[in-house]
Amino acid sequence: MKRPYTPVDTDPNLSRREFVAAACAVTASGVVLGVPALADTPKATEVETNLADYLKVPRGPHALPGPFPGRVVQVSNARAVVDDRVDGKVVGEMFERGVRTLTGTDMRTSFRMLFSTDDVVGLKVNPVGAPLISTKPEVVDAVIRWLVDNGLPKGNIVIWDRFEGMLKDAGFTPQRFPGVRIEALQTMDEEGTSWRTADGRHVSEGNFDPAWTYVARGVVGKGVRGYKDDEYYLNQHVFAGEVSYFGKLVTTGLTKIVNLAAYKNTGNGISMATKNLGYAAICNTGRLHQPLFFRVCTEVLAAPPVRDKLVLNVTDALNAQYDGGPDKDAKFVWPHRTLYFATDPFALDMVCHTQLVAKRKAMGIQVNEAPRFTDYLRQAESLGLGVADPAKITLLTVRA
Amino acid sequence: MIAAILFAALLGGTPAVDDATLLPADGAAAGLTRDGAAEVFRGAELYGHIDGGAEIYLEVGFERVTVQRYRRGEDELTAELYRMSDPTAALAIYLSRCGDETPDAGLAERHTAGRHQLLLVKGGVFLAVNNDTGRAKGAPLLVEVARAVAARLPDEAAAAPGAALPAGWLPGSLRVVRGPVGLGAIVTLGDGDVLRLGGTVTAAAAAYDDGRLGRHTLLVADYPDAAAARAALAHVAAHLDAALTPVRHDGDVLVYRDWAGRFGDLAVADRRLTLRANLARDPGLPATPPLDAQP
């Protein structure tokens, strides 16, 4: 997994506004970005990756799929969203019901099952599509309250995503979350004007760990469709080449991860639990949408820094979107008023995928249910990372 | 100016309209004032504007989008005027985004309006007006902006891609397909541009529901000539997705069974290719709408 740490060597700058817009496109586009629209492209199965290296590393005590493989809890409450407003108190109640139903025990014991008080816990939110269809701050409030009430210092909690501008736009600011660290893997300089240091290096290079990589042979971040040029690509992805480095926050900064995805489609698939981490724990992802796309959602989660730290997944479906995702499209957003819980992100995504397909059909969307849109979940099951077979998944529903 | 016009004429085109002039000036619509200058994204620059989903615009035919932000008191709006390559392209995007249309009585052009967003299509323009704060009081402003823009757009004959399809499709299901992104939203036949639409051949697709074949999708594509249509069918047959099993391939007809035991068929008659997907049973010989169904 150790790869040479290759610094980028060009230096044009991009305005923050340009970058944020483009970054949204990259992180959100899923099936579309980087895809040559009219060209025949290699199949995902034809690309060699370093997945086998991950599998050689012995699993940690908290490794996926965690203590509850195949168990998914769905908590709904009609009072959670009223007139487009999220009720934080109701969300807090839903969160407790969800955790207790998942673990079968009280909140304190649940905490001890998944955390210790000296953990550094990363809350991976999804800010794309704010404010309609991003992770709601009220959900993050509930998680923080649970952690702090059980003895975790507030300073040991980190709300994180790839891009700081998007975090801010989605409401994850120091003012809203005092005492909690808010970190992005990719940042500009302190003045917020340049992606490069004076010596031409990318400001965020040091945020990535040369010791942990996701390699996709022959899939390079150069000449990727959808980017004006390679420099534009580097400003969004920090590195090019066939290697994606994991964020140091993930590899060394955090000891546990709570994955707080939003509930939305991306084309015929979903952009929920596994994509929220698969495309955010590493850099240089624009190259991966084609040809790997969903496969990344499994293989990055198979890497020990994620596999051994991801202890809880909560998919925020207070608002949900059944078409036009992963960015917001108001026409297809509805108040689902639901939270989903699992230690097993693959079972969780299979449940949500199945339910979203049913919703899409009910709303008259012509749905393509080709297996390729869920193959990555079955791949995860074959690797022992989770459960994808619906017959083996237990869905517990709670209506408050 | 005259020289510019002559130069454009020599190139075979017309001088580009400054789309920013089509958007309301300060105070021209419900007291809204412009918040900054308009931004324009051309061609592949669209990726720098759309937060996911730019590919379908480029596939069906995109020229540029002009984006203007507005303010009035607590309300913030954004108008996006998409100049597409032709009216069919504009309608293609509108149909993919409009969902169940909920028009406002105060607007004559085809559109759908809601609290958060208004979408409108007129000729080769697709317009999206967003209520960025989501305030209920901002919704009427969307209509005002759309009305002001629509009044400045020339009247053009509306695209009618559905004319190639038999009547009776399910409401809201009509789609325009010009490449793999659009096709992939409906069915996976193989990788890449398996139908060889190339961004230039226009296919119309819609969902139907009948007792014998169940709810299924019908797609009709008219190629430049019969040879191109037959070549497209042959390409599908040669690159059929691994999740599909060929049942019959007899010259101009290909029948397959999918992973779920449902069927699909493709047939060519003259320059028209017809695809039916997600059929509840083996369809036997497919029914191909005659070419004279096209307008």
Side-chain angles (χ1 to χ4, degrees):
Chain A
M1 277 158 287
K2 288 188 180 297
R3 301 280 303 177
Y5 193 70
T6 310
V8 289
D9 57 5
T10 47
D11 65 354
N13 294 318
L14 189 68
S15 73
R16 183 185 174 279
R17 185 169 187 169
E18 282 177 300
F19 173 78
V20 169
C24 290
V26 170
T27 54
S29 64
V31 76
V32 296
L33 195 60
V35 180
L38 305 178
D40 291 332
T41 49
K43 296 177 181 175
T45 52
E46 294 171 348
V47 178
E48 179 193 350
T49 69
N50 60 335
L51 171 65
D53 292 340
Y54 302 156
L55 303 180
K56 292 174 187 167
V57 180
R59 296 176 182 234
H62 291 279
L64 292 175
F68 307 106
R71 183 184 294 182
V72 179
V73 176
Q74 174 179 354
V75 182
S76 302
N77 190 318
R79 296 179 291 119
V81 182
V82 178
D83 293 334
D84 280 352
R85 289 187 180 176
V86 176
D87 187 323
K89 183 171 182 295
V90 174
V91 169
E93 294 165 3
M94 293 169 70
F95 180 77
E96 283 205 24
R97 289 292 297 273
V99 170
R100 286 193 283 109
T101 306
L102 176 66
T103 61
T105 185
D106 59 62
M107 295 301 281
R108 178 167 293 277
T109 308
S110 299
F111 174 88
R112 289 174 178 164
M113 187 183 293
L114 304 175
F115 306 96
S116 63
T117 53
D118 57 359
D119 270 327
V120 179
V121 180
L123 311 183
K124 172 61 181 76
V125 297
N126 183 341
V128 177
L132 264 183
I133 196 62
S134 51
T135 305
K136 297 287 181 290
E138 290 83 356
V139 175
V140 178
D141 286 335
V143 181
I144 292 172
R145 195 158 49 241
W146 175 45
L147 298 176
V148 172
D149 284 352
N150 286 284
L152 190 79
K154 215 171 186 181
N156 283 17
I157 299 173
V158 186
I159 298 171
W160 69 280
D161 184 54
R162 280 179 62 188
F163 304 109
E164 62 181 349
M166 294 175 71
L167 282 168
K168 181 180 177 186
D169 291 346
F172 300 108
T173 62
Q175 294 75 29
R176 176 66 175 78
F177 293 94
V180 172
R181 292 159 55 192
I182 298 172
E183 295 191 16
L185 297 183
Q186 292 170 224
T187 58
M188 300 187 81
D189 62 8
E190 289 184 6
E191 291 76 33
T193 57
S194 176
W195 298 104
R196 300 286 184 174
T197 60
D199 61 358
R201 297 169 67 89
H202 198 291
V203 171
S204 300
E205 276 183 28
N207 293 346
F208 293 92
D209 190 341
W212 285 101
T213 64
Y214 179 61
V215 182
R217 301 282 180 207
V219 181
V220 297
K222 289 189 178 295
V224 179
R225 183 182 167 89
Y227 299 85
K228 287 188 230 178
D229 50 41
D230 290 344
E231 176 58 22
Y232 196 77
Y233 182 91
L234 285 169
N235 280 334
Q236 295 177 42
H237 295 287
V238 188
F239 298 95
E242 63 179 14
V243 177
S244 293
Y245 301 102
F246 281 76
K248 279 183 182 171
L249 179 68
V250 177
T251 60
T252 61
L254 304 175
T255 57
K256 298 286 170 53
I257 297 171
V258 177
N259 185 20
L260 303 172
Y263 188 104
K264 57 180 99 172
N265 81 303
T266 176
N268 293 298
I270 62 170
S271 179
M272 300 192 202
T274 59
K275 189 164 185 290
N276 193 45
L277 270 177
Y279 275 84
I282 58 175
C283 63
N284 192 15
T285 55
R287 69 191 176 104
L288 299 172
H289 286 96
Q290 182 66 21
L292 292 171
F293 195 37
F294 287 117
R295 194 176 143 192
V296 174
C297 302
T298 289
E299 296 193 350
V300 168
L301 269 62
V306 181
R307 180 195 68 193
D308 295 345
K309 297 178 181 179
L310 174 55
V311 293
L312 180 64
N313 303 272
V314 182
T315 295
D316 174 354
L318 296 172
N319 278 341
Q321 183 168 321
Y322 61 88
D323 203 19
D327 192 20
K328 62 178 181 284
D329 194 331
K331 196 70 187 178
F332 306 114
V333 173
W334 88 101
H336 194 20
R337 302 182 174 101
T338 296
L339 298 175
Y340 296 84
F341 301 78
T343 61
D344 176 350
F346 300 98
L348 174 58
D349 267 6
M350 182 56 90
V351 166
C352 292
H353 179 97
T354 304
Q355 292 189 358
L356 193 61
V357 165
K359 176 70 177 181
R360 285 162 65 79
K361 287 179 175 176
M363 299 307 292
I365 303 294
Q366 295 177 78
V367 180
N368 179 358
E369 296 181 78
R372 62 174 57 192
F373 302 114
T374 48
D375 279 346
Y376 69 109
L377 301 175
R378 287 180 284 277
Q379 181 196 10
E381 180 166 323
S382 73
L383 297 173
L385 296 169
V387 177
D389 181 351
K392 300 176 188 169
I393 293 174
T394 302
L395 174 61
L396 305 171
T397 59
V398 178
R399 294 199 179 277
Chain B
M1 177 66 178
I2 292 173
I5 292 171
L6 286 174
F7 183 64
L10 284 170
L11 292 176
T14 54
V17 175
D18 180 358
D19 287 336
T21 63
L22 301 175
L23 297 167
D26 284 343
L32 289 162
T33 57
R34 292 188 171 196
D35 182 10
E39 293 180 280
V40 181
F41 302 83
R42 294 180 174 83
E45 292 174 1
L46 184 61
Y47 288 105
H49 170 63
I50 289 189
D51 296 355
E55 196 75 28
I56 188 66
Y57 289 74
L58 296 166
E59 180 174 278
V60 298
F62 167 79
E63 292 183 1
R64 61 186 181 275
V65 59
T66 304
V67 183
Q68 178 67 61
R69 300 175 201 284
Y70 292 94
R71 281 182 182 275
R72 191 187 78 173
E74 295 180 46
D75 293 307
E76 299 176 17
L77 273 64
T78 305
E80 305 167 79
L81 193 155
Y82 292 84
R83 178 74 62 178
M84 305 300 291
S85 60
D86 59 86
T88 302
L91 184 61
I93 297 302
Y94 177 80
L95 291 173
S96 72
R97 293 190 56 184
C98 69
D100 184 20
E101 291 171 284
T102 51
D104 185 279
L107 199 52
E109 288 76 13
R110 184 167 186 179
H111 74 283
T112 184
R115 172 172 169 173
H116 295 277
Q117 192 174 57
L118 185 150
L119 307 175
L120 177 148
V121 63
K122 186 175 183 182
V125 167
F126 168 69
L127 176 72
V129 192
N130 306 297
N131 180 1
D132 295 332
T133 66
R135 279 164 42 92
K137 290 181 178 176
L141 302 179
L142 305 180
V143 178
E144 291 299 316
V145 171
R147 184 186 290 124
V149 174
R152 292 186 175 90
L153 296 173
D155 290 324
E156 292 184 61
L165 293 167
W169 65 72
L170 297 176
S173 68
L174 179 63
R175 295 289 184 275
V176 176
V177 177
R178 285 178 166 171
V181 178
L183 181 66
I186 298 168
V187 63
T188 298
L189 295 176
D191 290 312
D193 188 18
V194 69
L195 276 182
R196 292 190 158 184
L197 299 172
T200 56
V201 174
T202 298
Y208 293 81
D209 202 348
D210 69 44
R212 195 175 79 85
L213 297 174
R215 181 174 173 145
H216 63 279
T217 297
L218 171 65
L219 176 146
V220 174
D222 288 331
Y223 291 81
D225 52 48
R230 280 198 299 274
L233 177 58
H235 188 74
V236 173
H239 299 87
L240 198 63
D241 190 78
L244 307 178
T245 305
V247 175
R248 290 188 297 280
H249 183 203
D250 180 16
D252 291 340
V253 177
L254 169 66
V255 180
Y256 66 82
R257 187 173 59 247
D258 72 15
W259 63 92
R262 297 176 74 86
F263 290 83
D265 62 12
L266 298 97
V268 168
D270 195 12
R271 64 186 181 88
R272 170 164 293 180
L273 182 147
T274 301
L275 159 69
R276 293 186 297 183
N278 213 27
L279 303 170
R281 64 185 71 227
D282 188 331
L285 289 177
T288 305
L291 269 175
D292 57 13
Q294 192 180 359

